[in-house]
Amino acid sequence: MKQVYFTAGPAEMYPTFEHHLRTAVENQLGSISHRSQKFRDIYKFTVEQLHTLMDIPDTHAILFTGSASEVWERILLNCVEHESFHLVNGSFSKKFYEYAVSLRKYAHKQEKPFGEGFDYAEIEVPEYAEVICVTHNETSSGVQMREPDIHKLKRSNSKKIIAVDIVSSAPYPELDFGVIDTAFFSVQKSFGLPAGLGVWIANEKCLAKSERLQKYEDATIGAHNSLPALWKNFKTYETPATPNVIGIYLLGKIAEDLNAIGAETVRKQTEEKYKVLNKFVESSSNFSPSVAEERHRSRTVVVANTKKPSAEVIAQVKKANMIVGSGYGPFKESQIRIANFPAVSLEQVETLIGELKKMEY
């Protein structure tokens, strides 16, 4: 039997992935030029599907990189001259901050203990910070920041650029891209695809900042995949360097499949599965929520404390061909992480819960 992956990335492949991959191979998409009309059509199609699925306006470019981690560096080089500000409450938001430090930016951070989330009212943005770096869904700790709080944060700091990490939640969050300047994700999580493609959404404010740094401030914005270079090529649905063509094609097809379901339905299904998982974790004698405040609990990566070593839990459900993730970093042995992505059905979630309940006897 095939295993079902509840891991937070790489994750379970979307049910239609194999069909779309077969089509890509049959059409020899791995061999086409990224300067060809065939590729331009693929890029344009993927952009159109993401515009629809995530309600992204035409003011924002959709750009492709090798990973979401690469986008951290691109944002910091292209949008920060001196100072950035980071909300840190887990390992990945901390890495974004550490990238800024390594690039010799004056990086500020407001940090919460692992497993705690941010509310708008408690955030203090430094006066001279140019970019506010926010993680909507912290993959390591299972903490989310609510979209209204992100929107308020930007509106009260309208002159600053806000960058939102939606790596392990897109396309679930209802972000208002009329407010959000830039956001990014990778495809190996909620989109149910193999790793190897990052998606960078950026508006003209980001582009203008990058062009100013390059032209007037004598600042390096990077030699590879700089924002002006990506944007210039985006206008003709091309890329500066040879991209992951098959990955871009597959992303467009999966986004089309999700659009056929409807973004609102995808969100409702995600919420329904989350409620079932959360109810089990709250009522279990062997597990407990790792995030104390319910409003801060991720809907797409449910993290639970375990009474038994997490390795025992993982081994138990693996017998039933289900794979859950261990805790992250220092919590590897005391937590499990359960991805709640569109590729996994409610029935599969309920089956997983049935296996976890067996450990209570």
Side-chain angles (χ1 to χ4, degrees), residues 312-333:
E312 291 186 24
V313 179
I314 293 167
Q316 172 67 30
V317 298
K318 190 174 183 180
K319 293 176 184 177
N321 294 305
M322 288 177 284
I323 310 298
V324 299
S326 63
Y328 197 88
F331 299 92
K332 180 179 176 64
E333 296 299 328

Side-chain angles (χ1 to χ4, degrees), residues 291-312:
V291 180
E293 300 290 342
E294 204 276 335
R295 69 183 183 281
H296 292 151
R297 290 177 195 163
S298 168
R299 271 50 179 168
T300 55
V301 181
V302 176
V303 181
N305 299 321
T306 61
K307 279 191 175 180
K308 298 180 179 180
S310 63
E312 291 186 24

Side-chain angles (χ1 to χ4, degrees), residues 241-252:
T242 308
N244 183 346
V245 176
I246 289 180
I248 295 169
Y249 169 80
L250 293 171
L251 175 60

Side-chain angles (χ1 to χ4, degrees), residues 59-101:
T59 52
H60 290 57
I62 297 178
L63 313 166
F64 297 113
T65 66
S67 68
S69 300
E70 180 187 338
V71 182
W72 286 339
E73 185 168 280
R74 299 289 148 258
I75 289 172
L76 293 164
L77 286 173
N78 285 266
C79 299
V80 180
E81 182 178 2
H82 300 296
E83 299 187 29
S84 61
F85 173 60
H86 302 257
L87 295 179
V88 175
N89 60 351
S91 299
F92 292 97
S93 49
K94 188 175 184 180
K95 284 182 181 180
F96 198 173
Y97 164 77
E98 290 170 345
Y99 270 43
V101 173

Side-chain angles (χ1 to χ4, degrees), residues 11-240:
E12 179 73 7
M13 295 293 100
Y14 196 76
T16 56
F17 159 71
E18 188 174 346
H19 166 73
H20 295 315
L21 179 61
R22 192 178 299 114
T23 302
V25 172
E26 290 171 354
N27 290 320
Q28 297 181 285
L29 297 186
S31 300
I32 67 171
S33 168
H34 66 297
R35 302 287 178 226
S36 67
Q37 187 58 46
K38 195 168 188 178
F39 173 71
R40 294 188 198 101
D41 291 342
I42 289 169
Y43 193 154
K44 183 180 180 183
F45 177 81
T46 300
V47 165
E48 290 170 347
Q49 294 303 317
L50 290 174
H51 273 302
T52 300
L53 181 64
M54 299 174 66
D55 198 19
I56 302 168
D58 292 336
T59 52
H60 290 57
I62 297 178
L63 313 166
F64 297 113
T65 66
S67 68
S69 300
E70 180 187 338
V71 182
W72 286 339
E73 185 168 280
R74 299 289 148 258
I75 289 172
L76 293 164
L77 286 173
N78 285 266
C79 299
V80 180
E81 182 178 2
H82 300 296
E83 299 187 29
S84 61
F85 173 60
H86 302 257
L87 295 179
V88 175
N89 60 351
S91 299
F92 292 97
S93 49
K94 188 175 184 180
K95 284 182 181 180
F96 198 173
Y97 164 77
E98 290 170 345
Y99 270 43
V101 173
S102 70
L103 290 171
R104 302 187 185 281
K105 305 298 181 182
Y106 190 87
H108 306 265
K109 66 175 176 176
Q110 186 171 335
E111 190 165 9
K112 281 288 193 76
F114 198 91
E116 292 186 19
F118 288 98
D119 293 314
Y120 163 74
E122 65 186 316
I123 298 169
E124 298 179 7
V125 181
E127 181 180 359
Y128 296 109
E130 301 153 64
V131 177
I132 302 170
C133 302
V134 176
T135 301
H136 170 262
N137 194 84
E138 175 53 73
T139 315
S140 64
S141 61
V143 173
Q144 73 169 17
M145 186 171 179
R146 294 171 297 178
E147 294 96 310
D149 283 355
I150 296 174
H151 297 150
K152 288 178 187 176
L153 184 59
K154 167 60 182 183
R155 290 189 177 104
S156 62
N157 295 274
S158 59
K159 293 183 179 180
K160 302 181 189 299
I161 289 171
I162 190 163
V164 186
D165 179 335
I166 52 174
V167 167
S168 56
S169 57
Y172 167 77
E174 288 189 83
L175 287 179
D176 181 355
F177 282 97
V179 175
I180 302 303
D181 299 298
T182 183
F184 54 93
F185 62 89
S186 50
V187 300
Q188 73 270 23
K189 298 178 185 287
S190 284
F191 282 91
L193 289 170
L197 184 67
V199 181
W200 184 13
I201 305 159
N203 69 4
E204 292 174 346
K205 185 173 182 178
C206 297
L207 176 64
K209 180 65 175 290
S210 182
E211 290 176 334
R212 182 175 70 78
L213 292 179
Q214 185 179 44
K215 187 173 182 179
Y216 297 111
E217 306 300 340
D218 194 30
T220 178
I221 59 170
H224 177 65
N225 279 345
S226 70
L227 184 51
L230 285 166
W231 198 293
K232 179 183 177 182
N233 282 268
F234 167 72
K235 289 181 178 179
T236 54
Y237 296 108
E238 293 183 12
T239 55

